[in-house]
Amino acid sequence: MAANKPLIKNIMGTHMADTDKRVIKKYPNRRLYDTATSCYITLDDVKQLVLDNVDIVVEDAKTHEDITRSVLLQIILEEEAGGAPMFSYDVLTQIIRFYGHAMQGLMGNYLEKNMQLFAQMQERLQDQAKSVYGSDNPMAGNANLWGEFMKFQAPAMQNMMTSYLEQSTNMFVEMQQQLQDRAKNLWTGFGFPPGTDGKK
């Protein structure tokens, strides 16, 4: 059995190389190990990798299970516990209500598409702001100045994102209600015998 271990390790390594994702291993003592830099890192370091648009995968060092989502959710939880949460009470409760619901998968896709649209909108906003400053303006050519400007705009962007998520979730709930109402009207129109449509 021991002779098979190197083979398993090679297969795992090949799989990770194919995905071109930076592998972070989480050990039983909850320490995170970055295989790219061969050193231990913190959850803040993982957050920075995400901010730097580095594709990562976090795996359990013992079982090799992909635990990326749980680590990302942990980062979100810490951010939400900070001074400027992104998800309002209404958004969180609506999301919880969709777990186990028939439309859970649709809700996930709906939020994902909306996040992508918001990211594109933010990128366009940045491009437009840079074009307003012009290439002669030191703001356009100085990455540090632009970074500081965007940090200054961060609270406004976060408030906009919170509002956007809340409105988006509410729209999905309204769409779900409309679908349910139409389904009820459709079934009522078939004229089922008493008791088969849920009514006496």
Side-chain angles (χ1 to χ4, degrees), residues 40-74:
Y40 288 100
I41 61 174
T42 65
L43 201 61
D44 282 339
D45 295 324
V46 176
K47 174 188 168 185
Q48 190 58 52
L49 288 173
V50 174
L51 291 174
D52 293 340
N53 294 311
V54 177
D55 287 331
I56 63 167
V57 59
V58 184
E59 66 175 39
D60 187 295
K62 188 175 181 180
T63 65
H64 300 294
E65 179 188 359
D66 186 341
I67 55 172
T68 310
R69 289 182 67 256
S70 65
V71 172
L72 295 178
L73 285 168
Q74 189 179 349

Side-chain angles (χ1 to χ4, degrees), residues 2-11:
N4 290 336
K5 285 188 177 179
L7 177 61
I8 294 172
K9 188 174 181 182
N10 287 339
I11 292 171

Side-chain angles (χ1 to χ4, degrees), residues 90-128:
D90 290 338
V91 170
L92 289 172
T93 52
Q94 291 289 5
I95 290 173
I96 289 170
R97 290 182 187 121
F98 274 103
Y99 281 102
H101 193 280
M103 296 184 73
Q104 178 179 335
L106 286 175
M107 178 61 166
N109 290 334
Y110 184 79
L111 286 175
E112 185 176 349
K113 295 297 181 186
N114 272 276
M115 292 290 285
Q116 290 172 356
L117 286 171
F118 190 88
Q120 290 171 9
M121 183 176 71
Q122 182 186 14
E123 188 176 343
R124 288 193 193 118
L125 183 66
Q126 290 176 350
D127 291 341
Q128 287 173 2

